[in-house]
Amino acid sequence: MSHPVKIQIGDWAACRDHAMVIRHEVFVQEQNVPLELELDHQDENCIHAVAYNSQGEAIGTGRLLPDGHIGRIAVRAKCRGMGIGSKLLDALMNEARLRHHMEVVLSAQTHALKFYTRRGFVAEGITYMDAGIEHVTMRHPLTA
């Protein structure tokens, strides 16, 4: 069964209110990431994506940094497994293409490696800790 999802792309001013609620719920409350680590000064410089369900509820978010890094992808627990993460990732990768990036890079939490591998990302380097969670750097070349 397909769930209609709308992805809104915008700057921090347009996306902040909904993105912050989701990021706080997923990263701070669920994963125990300290608030001072989840918030950074990059948001103002990023392109943000927010996913909305058919009722207009914000259910997922992510961001694209100016250097082509994708980050802060988060989907509310009740909405996981419905393809929302993939739609957010597709939208952010498309934004990277529009900005002529040759590749996108992200820091994947190790529990999400299979998700990103299925989407064509390739892991590189060693596992490292970030905010108390194991991560691996992953890359994906972009084509037009």
Side-chain angles (χ1 to χ4, degrees):
M1 180 172 126
S2 177
H3 300 273
V5 172
K6 177 182 175 247
I7 306 292
Q8 176 189 327
I9 299 292
D11 63 10
W12 188 229
C15 297
R16 172 181 40 231
D17 291 348
H18 292 147
M20 284 297 297
V21 169
I22 295 164
R23 284 167 45 176
H24 191 271
E25 185 178 304
V26 172
F27 297 125
V28 178
Q29 294 176 335
E30 187 180 324
Q31 297 182 348
N32 297 309
V33 172
L35 184 60
E36 62 273 13
L37 293 181
E38 200 289 308
L39 294 174
D40 64 20
H41 300 289
Q42 292 290 335
D43 283 318
E44 292 283 344
N45 306 317
C46 294
I47 298 298
H48 296 267
V50 179
Y52 295 90
N53 65 14
S54 58
Q55 291 79 43
E57 176 189 13
I59 55 175
T61 189
R63 71 183 189 181
L64 174 68
L65 283 82
D67 64 2
H69 277 72
I70 289 175
R72 300 300 199 275
I73 292 185
V75 175
R76 289 190 151 150
K78 67 181 181 179
C79 301
R80 292 182 194 144
M82 300 181 343
I84 291 135
S86 290
K87 289 178 180 175
L88 285 163
L89 193 57
D90 287 344
L92 292 167
M93 289 172 70
N94 188 53
E95 289 299 313
R97 282 185 195 92
L98 293 173
R99 285 158 180 73
H100 307 290
H101 290 290
M102 300 303 292
E103 67 176 1
V104 287
V105 181
L106 54 80
S107 295
Q109 293 183 8
T110 54
H111 73 83
L113 281 174
K114 287 181 184 171
F115 167 77
Y116 291 114
T117 300
R118 283 194 308 269
R119 307 283 306 137
F121 282 79
V122 177
E124 67 178 31
I126 60 169
T127 300
Y128 57 92
M129 298 298 284
D130 186 8
I133 301 168
E134 288 189 331
H135 286 72
V136 173
T137 298
M138 299 189 84
R139 293 183 184 276
H140 190 301
L142 296 177
T143 55

